[in-house]
Amino acid sequence: MKFLSFSLLSILSFTTQACMFPPKGLIEEHNNQFDLLILFSILVAVISLLIRFSHQKSRLWVTALLVLGFGYFPFILFNLDSYGIIGPGGACGRPGMVLIGQICLGGYLVILCYELFKYLKFRRKL
């Protein structure tokens, strides 16, 4: 049991990180990554809305609610990170912001896949 716990703690110790001073420009790089992720998220959301609009205008509200729903969770995380309630936890830079952008983009990509599936299903019926 001691060997197993020692081995487990040894392996997990390599995955921890902490830094006193972030490398120069890392915070700005994380902010730029966040901006790009949010920009692509908005682009994907607009494409999803346009796909729904092109084949089923009367049900555009479904996609709009999905976009708002998937955007709500990252917005809450962004506010919590801005207020310092959730933070990087000793990591350098602002990896929380990058994670929030990835969550937002991932959610909108799920919506885009759903809309493409519905669009192809609609086109196959014609």
Side-chain angles (χ1 to χ4, degrees):
M1 186 64 182
K2 287 182 182 180
F3 178 73
L4 181 64
S5 63
F6 176 75
S7 299
L8 184 65
L9 291 175
S10 295
I11 292 170
L12 292 177
S13 68
F14 294 114
T15 62
T16 61
Q17 61 178 351
C19 67
M20 295 298 193
F21 304 104
K24 192 171 188 170
L26 184 64
I27 293 173
E28 290 82 11
E29 183 179 334
H30 283 170
N31 286 337
N32 289 338
Q33 286 177 352
F34 173 75
D35 292 341
L36 284 175
L37 287 168
I38 294 300
L39 180 67
F40 284 123
S41 298
I42 292 170
L43 181 67
V44 168
V46 168
I47 290 171
S48 299
L49 289 168
L50 289 174
I51 289 172
R52 177 64 80 141
F53 184 77
S54 70
H55 77 279
Q56 199 175 22
K57 294 177 183 79
S58 64
R59 305 273 297 179
L60 185 63
W61 62 271
V62 174
T63 307
L65 283 179
L66 286 174
V67 166
L68 288 174
F70 273 98
Y72 186 71
F73 181 66
F75 179 72
I76 290 173
L77 290 176
F78 175 76
N79 283 331
L80 291 176
D81 188 63
S82 296
Y83 294 137
I85 296 172
I86 58 172
C92 291
R94 299 189 71 188
M97 296 293 286
V98 175
L99 179 64
I100 292 167
Q102 291 171 345
I103 290 171
C104 191
L105 182 59
Y108 289 156
L109 284 174
V110 168
I111 295 170
L112 180 64
C113 290
Y114 172 73
E115 291 301 325
L116 285 173
F117 173 74
K118 294 292 279 184
Y119 181 73
L120 293 175
K121 190 175 170 183
F122 172 76
R123 281 292 187 195
R124 192 169 287 165
K125 286 182 182 179
L126 291 179

